[in-house]
Amino acid sequence: METRELRYFIAVAEESHVGRAAQRLGMAQPPLSRAIARLERRIGAHLFIRSPRGMTLTSAGQTLLREGRAALAAVEAAERRTRRTIAAAGRASVVLTAKAGASSELMAELLDAYAAEPDAVDVEVVLSPPGHQGPMLRDGRADVAILHQPFDDISGFDVDRLNVEGQVLILPADHPVSRVTSLTVAEATSIPDLPLPRWPRLDGTYPDGPGPELRDLTQVLQLVRLGRAAIVMPESARVNVRDGLAVVPVSDAARVTTVIAWPPQSVSSGVAGLVRTASRLYGAPHDRPTAAGTERGPGT
């Protein structure tokens, strides 16, 4: 199967119409229809249910759409990483992405320990809004990521667990709620004068809600100090709490698991070294075994 065929198929699947897909691809409709038919013959199954209103995916088509997107993302990631290597004149380096303001102490400890290794390479740290780290790792803009479950999708990655912790509500120190010993999630998210912030989706839009639209933790904490918002965060965020802020544990919030994640096909010695350092520091086994059931790291 060629990447060109996958692009054709994905366009038809997303448009649910051959004509619109052909227009999107900049080609005529008949050759696109023939290409889809050839793909179905090769696979040995119908990928679409045809009707006068358009094209609907079969169960086989749904599987190919999911796997095809992943395959194209891997190809694009390989190209992007190769171009980065060329731009760096062959000098080894690693791009690490993480949420701005999250796990800052853990990352500082990890990066300092890795920098002391004799074979350490340069690590470029890219901080971005919540939800952007997984896509950056998938499309090749990053080589390794610090992710947080249950919030981030780790499917398709190899991961090491680094830390497990509870969650807390950060709010103004002079607010009446700051004097309670703990809160439930329902209570923490329904304080009338302290709405929770809204973070951008991948397309840059924001979900509906009363909270302020934000992009980084610095903005959040400033608004919390001003009495305009509150925020639920992992307990390690206490390190960011300064004068004017208070912290209250959220008793029934999901535990947050911090992981270091990398593509399973990675052969980067820098990623392997960073993962080994994390494993030494935090004693975490790999969460994704090989087909033979043995644990492994990138580049091995």
Side-chain angles (χ1 to χ4, degrees):
M1 190 179 300
E2 299 177 2
T3 56
R4 173 179 53 85
E5 293 175 305
L6 281 178
R7 294 183 195 281
Y8 289 175
F9 164 75
I10 290 171
V12 175
E14 291 178 346
E15 298 293 338
S16 301
H17 193 277
V18 175
R20 290 195 298 268
Q23 186 175 16
R24 168 175 151 181
L25 293 165
M27 63 186 297
Q29 182 172 333
L32 178 58
S33 296
R34 289 194 294 270
I36 297 299
R38 284 195 300 270
L39 184 59
E40 288 180 316
R41 287 196 298 271
R42 183 178 306 139
I43 290 176
H46 290 294
L47 300 174
F48 295 98
I49 299 172
R50 279 89 168 163
S51 73
R53 291 180 296 179
M55 312 274 278
T56 304
L57 286 169
T58 63
S59 59
Q62 291 171 353
T63 298
L64 185 59
L65 179 61
R66 181 177 64 251
E67 300 294 339
R69 282 171 170 163
L72 285 184
V75 170
E76 291 166 0
E79 179 181 357
R80 185 173 282 112
R81 290 190 175 99
T82 301
R83 290 185 183 279
R84 279 202 281 111
T85 300
I86 295 171
R91 186 178 67 255
S93 64
V94 169
V95 176
L96 167 67
T97 183
K99 296 179 183 67
S103 303
S104 52
E105 280 194 333
L106 181 151
M107 285 180 55
E109 182 181 33
L110 172 60
L111 292 173
D112 286 347
Y114 175 64
E117 295 291 332
D119 57 349
V121 302
D122 292 339
V123 179
E124 178 186 352
V125 178
V126 178
L127 302 179
S128 52
H132 288 234
Q133 293 70 40
M136 290 178 66
L137 193 55
R138 288 188 172 89
D139 68 16
R141 286 175 290 165
D143 303 301
V144 63
I146 301 296
L147 303 178
H148 301 86
Q149 295 179 275
F151 311 114
D152 295 317
D153 178 13
I154 65 169
S155 60
F157 298 139
D158 281 353
V159 300
D160 267 3
R161 292 186 300 275
L162 304 181
N163 186 41
V164 181
E165 59 188 320
Q167 297 190 66
V168 297
L169 179 71
I170 301 177
L171 70 165
D174 59 357
H175 195 279
V177 176
S178 68
R179 294 190 287 273
V180 305
T181 56
S182 69
L183 292 165
T184 64
V185 171
E187 291 168 339
T189 57
S190 59
I191 303 173
D193 57 338
L194 294 178
L196 300 186
R198 291 175 292 140
W199 299 98
R201 302 185 182 97
L202 293 178
D203 62 3
T205 63
Y206 287 82
D208 295 332
E213 297 180 353
L214 298 169
R215 297 195 67 86
D216 63 60
L217 188 61
T218 302
Q219 286 180 292
V220 176
L221 297 182
Q222 181 65 22
L223 286 175
V224 174
R225 286 191 180 91
L226 293 173
R228 303 301 179 90
I231 184 171
V232 176
M233 296 195 68
E235 192 170 2
S236 58
R238 286 178 182 271
V239 69
N240 297 304
V241 174
R242 301 290 187 270
D243 292 342
L245 298 176
V247 175
V248 177
V250 182
S251 58
D252 59 345
R255 302 280 287 174
V256 177
T257 301
T258 302
V259 304
I260 185 169
W262 66 94
Q265 72 274 14
S266 175
V267 294
S268 165
S269 60
V271 172
L274 197 59
V275 171
R276 282 195 301 269
T277 301
S279 182
R280 174 172 57 80
L281 286 176
Y282 305 106
H286 296 305
D287 282 356
R288 182 65 59 83
T290 63
T294 57
E295 294 174 352
R296 63 178 176 87
T300 61

